Amino acid sequence: MTVTLSGREAYKDELAKLAETEERILCLEADLGGKNHPFQLRHPERFLNLGIAELAGVDIAAGLAEAGYVPFISTFAAFAALRAAESVKLSLGYMGKNVKLVAPYGGVSGGWFGTTHHALEDIAVIQSFQNIRIACPHGDEETRKVIREAAVSEEPYYIRLSRNDAFESLPRPSSTPCTELLVEGAAVNSRAKLCLISVGEQATELCKALTEQYESVVHAHACYVDSQSLKAYVEPLKALADRFLVVEEHRATGGTASYLALLLPEHPVHSHNCGEQWPTYGGTHAEVLADLGFGLEPLRRQIESLIGGLDDT
């Protein structure tokens, strides 16, 4: 029986598998890999625990990339995008070093860890650096596919994951890269009143659930949200609908909706996000999201306000 893993665990497992045939792959951790890390168990000579030294870790990874290796370095999203921001900007953005920065605990998936370990600004920060692929995969299989894509690409990557929730990915043909939108819903074959655009795991689960309830709504799941990918989405999105609602576990400021609004100046682009206030509620991932107004019922109300109430069906 196939076990569905969380994105964080799927990453570790898939990278360990890839390293069996690709000797250039290295795994660097900032002291959060946990016991029995699959890569450490299978390839101990290529596993480095650098401790709580995120900025230096990115610099080390850049040096290893310059030497011809393919380093994957993992730490909390808040520390990857913010504490190590200068090194990410210079090594990945400016110099384009072939570093894969894997960032679990994206959004508020850390729950009880609190505001210092939450990351509601990371996509805005990394997008502003340019030239870095940004992937927010949904579920076990899409996470694995992104890791495979990153491993064979020469581009720097920022891969945002959650913590412990495990989801089944939306079905994607094996020949279709994760850079392409996945579209679902009854309105796929006609012009929809509204197109939901999901970014990340929790957002995609919400959009999956609600798209089934509205025949005039279509759902486009975006795995990659770097500027290059968002520009490529413009024409496919315009073919689906005239109005868009981006659902993303992120602040409104600098989120994907902000960038798409610039790319789609003739189309209304709305956002369902985590607001602008600091999370102050201690609880599970779901409880913190609820306190921030991000969830099924708030999204349902927003959809109905945009399409003019319930569908007639």
Side-chain angles (χ1 to χ4, degrees):
M1 184 177 80
T2 302
V3 177
T4 301
L5 301 178
S6 69
R8 186 167 61 115
E9 297 303 324
Y11 153 65
K12 298 175 189 178
D13 184 65
E14 190 65 25
L15 191 67
K17 289 178 180 177
L18 291 175
E20 306 225 344
T21 54
E22 176 50 86
E23 295 183 354
R24 296 182 304 150
I25 289 177
L26 305 177
C27 181
L28 286 64
E29 286 278 356
D31 207 23
L32 75 161
K35 295 180 180 179
N36 300 318
H37 193 299
F39 199 102
Q40 184 177 20
L41 293 175
R42 299 185 210 177
H43 315 285
E45 74 286 356
R46 287 187 276 159
F47 179 87
L48 299 172
N49 184 348
L50 302 175
I52 305 173
E54 293 84 2
L55 190 137
V58 172
D59 289 338
I60 291 168
L64 291 167
E66 179 67 18
Y69 293 100
V70 182
F72 282 73
I73 177 170
S74 179
T75 186
F76 287 90
F79 305 151
L82 299 169
R83 182 177 293 175
E86 183 181 16
S87 289
V88 174
K89 172 187 172 182
L90 296 178
S91 296
L92 279 68
Y94 179 62
M95 292 188 284
K97 297 302 179 187
N98 187 19
V99 173
K100 319 303 179 182
L101 184 53
V102 181
Y105 293 77
V108 293
S109 60
W112 287 103
F113 282 79
T115 295
T116 57
H117 286 55
H118 292 161
L120 291 172
E121 313 83 9
D122 57 325
I123 293 174
V125 171
I126 303 299
Q127 274 186 351
S128 70
F129 294 157
Q130 299 297 317
N131 302 322
I132 302 172
R133 284 289 192 182
I134 304 173
C136 303
H138 163 255
D140 183 317
E141 185 48 46
E142 189 169 69
T143 299
R144 292 176 185 274
K145 192 171 179 68
V146 165
I147 299 305
R148 295 194 295 269
E149 291 175 351
V152 298
S153 171
E154 294 295 323
E155 299 169 292
Y157 263 69
Y158 179 83
I159 303 171
R160 189 202 216 216
L161 305 175
S162 293
R163 189 187 178 203
N164 288 336
D165 291 336
F167 300 109
E168 290 188 11
S169 303
L170 289 166
R172 182 188 294 272
S174 59
S175 59
T176 303
C178 292
T179 49
E180 293 189 16
L181 293 170
L182 283 179
V183 182
E184 63 168 4
V188 168
N189 296 318
S190 61
R191 194 147 195 86
K193 286 185 179 180
L194 178 69
C195 176
L196 303 178
I197 302 171
S198 65
V199 179
E201 293 194 319
Q202 300 295 329
T204 304
E205 288 295 303
L206 293 179
C207 291
K208 281 171 55 181
L210 290 175
T211 302
E212 296 175 355
Q213 301 176 26
Y214 298 95
E215 290 193 359
S216 62
V217 173
V218 69
H219 169 212
H221 166 59
C223 178
Y224 281 75
V225 293
D226 50 87
S227 58
Q228 179 182 344
S229 297
L230 293 178
K231 289 173 183 176
Y233 296 154
V234 168
E235 293 306 318
L237 287 173
K238 286 163 67 174
L240 293 172
D242 292 320
R243 184 185 293 264
F244 304 94
L245 174 55
V246 178
V247 184
E248 182 176 38
E249 189 177 339
H250 194 273
R251 294 198 193 284
T253 304
T256 302
S258 299
Y259 203 103
L260 279 176
L262 296 175
L263 297 174
L264 294 161
E266 298 177 359
H267 299 267
V269 178
H270 307 271
S271 176
H272 184 75
N273 55 68
C274 292
E276 300 294 353
Q277 301 303 312
W278 294 107
T280 57
Y281 183 86
T284 66
H285 188 185
E287 289 169 340
V288 176
L289 284 176
D291 188 65
L292 294 170
F294 185 95
L296 194 68
E297 290 309 314
L299 179 57
R300 187 197 306 279
R301 292 193 294 270
Q302 193 170 2
I303 290 170
E304 292 179 6
S305 72
L306 291 173
I307 65 174
L310 291 167
D311 282 345
D312 293 333
T313 53

